[in-house]
Amino acid sequence: MDSAPAVRLRVVTREIESVDEMLVFADPHDPTVWSRRGDVLVARGTAAAFVAPESDTGPDAVAAWWRRTISSAEIDDPVQLPGSGLVAFGALPFDPHRLGTADPSTPRLHFAVPQVIVGRRGSRSWVTAITADGRTPSADLPETTGFGPHWSATTGPGALTPDGYQRIVRAGVEAIRGGEIEKVVLARDLAGTVPADADLRRLVRALASAYPDTWAFAVDGLIGASPETLVTVSKGTVTARVLAGTIARGADADADTAASLALATSTKDLDEHGYAVRSVLDALRPSTSSLVAGEQPFMLKLPNVWHLATDVEGELAGDASALDLVAALHPTAAVAGTPTPAALDAIRRLEPFNRGRYAGPVGWIDANGDGEWAIALRCAQFRPRDRPADDAPIPFTAYAGAGIVGASDPESEMLETRVKFRPIIDALA
């Protein structure tokens, strides 16, 4: 049982004139943002939050709290667009069962209803106000805050050096060849700091501008641009995008074509991709009907990499919410491995750090159970904003991983993580 009682929320959404620059409504030092292809949600404040017990919980307990919260909420939402009305934002841990032994500074599960949300979808914009004290909300635009000065981060090795990463990849390959697992996803980390007064909205804007086809997000200090949809639920339709198999873009047109062809015909990468697709289909089938996936992966082109990708689509068969599907899906083979329990055991044994929220679910859900959830990739976790009064630099940790199968080469996998670090490291610079 979770320890967080539901609260009685009052919610008012009103359509407003078109808003161009959305990030001016976000907190410069603790932004909450969800953005893709010009559709944006920006939020401030906290009206209600799920409080996880000491033994942290996963999406199931959050989903139960959310059902109780929406059942007692009063919602006035004539806009009726994805992201309008009552919405909560979440950033969930990759491995909630590991948090009991984690460093107390490791970020825990975050799931909260903001006080104000400013949204834009297509040509329409709106503002939502939410109260928990019985007052009727006033759906006025929040004050704007101009962008602070440009800044740059300092970045260095984390707990796992490139040589150390190759060592754990070799150990992972040995576990696969020994029959312990079929695939395992292993990550490495980079550590750094940003100035104490850094306006983190600049990082969000840089990621959203450079990678518009990804989910650019900022939730409780977790900031990134993920290319991988964990699950989207909209009016009974369920979609997901599976990514597994990666190669760096070529330096010119001929090299880029060769890179794409090499990935499309790589037995190692196709095997890795197949594990990931099967894990998503197996997880979604109990909650869906007419579930379909592409017979062959397609090539997804991003500014820095090619990915093997498969889109999955189905119809909800019952009353499951986006959070229920998050609970069923996470962790997928794309971020953990196959079989999942054995792969998680290998990750706990081989990685010398706790991933926290890296590769966990991040996204939002509304009162209808619809929502958009990505896997927290190409991201960095910034320390919570209760920093000391001496204005010390703010530390962060960035992560990148690679899927390991029996044919994996340790140096190639390390180079793949270097390519995957590029979006967040370039934006931090």
Side-chain angles (χ1 to χ4, degrees), residues 233-238 287-289 314-322 325 369-370:
V233 180
S234 179
K235 295 179 169 46
T237 298
V238 179
S287 301
T288 59
S289 60
E315 298 297 319
L316 279 179
D319 60 355
S321 72
L325 297 184
D370 293 350

Side-chain angles (χ1 to χ4, degrees), residues 170-341:
R170 282 192 286 270
V173 170
E174 290 174 4
I176 292 167
R177 292 176 178 172
E180 177 186 339
I181 45 178
E182 297 174 67
K183 170 190 172 181
V184 63
V185 180
L186 295 173
R188 69 183 182 101
D189 60 330
L190 296 176
T193 62
V194 299
D197 60 349
D199 187 337
L200 295 179
R201 297 174 303 174
R202 287 197 175 277
L203 175 58
V204 181
R205 185 163 68 173
L207 289 167
S209 298
Y211 298 88
D213 290 327
T214 68
W215 301 103
F217 59 87
V219 180
D220 197 42
L222 181 69
I223 301 177
S226 176
E228 187 156 5
T229 307
L230 180 60
V231 67
T232 295
V233 180
S234 179
K235 295 179 169 46
T237 298
V238 179
T239 57
R241 171 165 288 180
V242 183
L243 303 183
T246 305
I247 195 168
R249 296 284 305 277
D252 55 40
D254 289 341
D256 203 34
T257 299
S260 173
L261 181 61
L263 180 62
T265 56
S266 165
T267 300
K268 176 261 181 189
D269 289 290
L270 290 168
D271 286 347
E272 178 189 343
H273 190 82
Y275 291 133
V277 173
R278 286 194 293 275
S279 77
V280 168
L281 292 174
D282 290 345
L284 287 178
R285 280 195 182 97
S287 301
T288 59
S289 60
S290 64
L291 187 66
V292 295
E295 291 186 7
Q296 299 293 329
F298 65 91
M299 302 301 298
L300 177 66
K301 181 169 69 172
L302 294 176
N304 62 321
V305 295
W306 288 99
H307 284 299
L308 289 175
T310 295
D311 285 339
V312 176
E313 183 172 336
E315 298 297 319
L316 279 179
D319 60 355
S321 72
L323 272 173
D324 294 320
L325 297 184
V326 167
L329 283 164
H330 180 73
T332 69
V335 293
T338 305
T340 300

Side-chain angles (χ1 to χ4, degrees), residues 102-195:
D103 184 316
S105 65
T106 300
R108 302 174 70 84
L109 181 152
H110 173 86
F111 186 79
V113 179
Q115 292 175 319
V116 181
I117 305 167
V118 184
R120 181 180 68 212
R121 187 161 291 256
S123 61
R124 299 177 66 186
S125 299
W126 66 88
V127 60
T128 297
I130 304 170
T131 60
D133 57 7
R135 293 182 299 111
T136 299
S138 177
D140 298 324
L141 274 173
E143 292 185 4
T144 61
T145 305
F147 284 90
H150 288 276
W151 50 266
S152 60
T154 61
T155 307
L160 199 56
T161 65
D163 287 343
Y165 184 71
Q166 292 183 62
R167 283 196 297 272
I168 71 166
V169 169
R170 282 192 286 270
V173 170
E174 290 174 4
I176 292 167
R177 292 176 178 172
E180 177 186 339
I181 45 178
E182 297 174 67
K183 170 190 172 181
V184 63
V185 180
L186 295 173
R188 69 183 182 101
D189 60 330
L190 296 176
T193 62
V194 299

Side-chain angles (χ1 to χ4, degrees), residues 406-428:
S408 289
D409 171 66
E411 184 177 7
S412 296
E413 302 297 348
M414 186 274 294
L415 293 175
E416 180 177 321
T417 65
R418 185 175 294 171
V419 172
K420 290 177 175 177
F421 272 125
R422 181 179 153 190
I424 190 69
I425 296 304
D426 286 354
L428 285 164

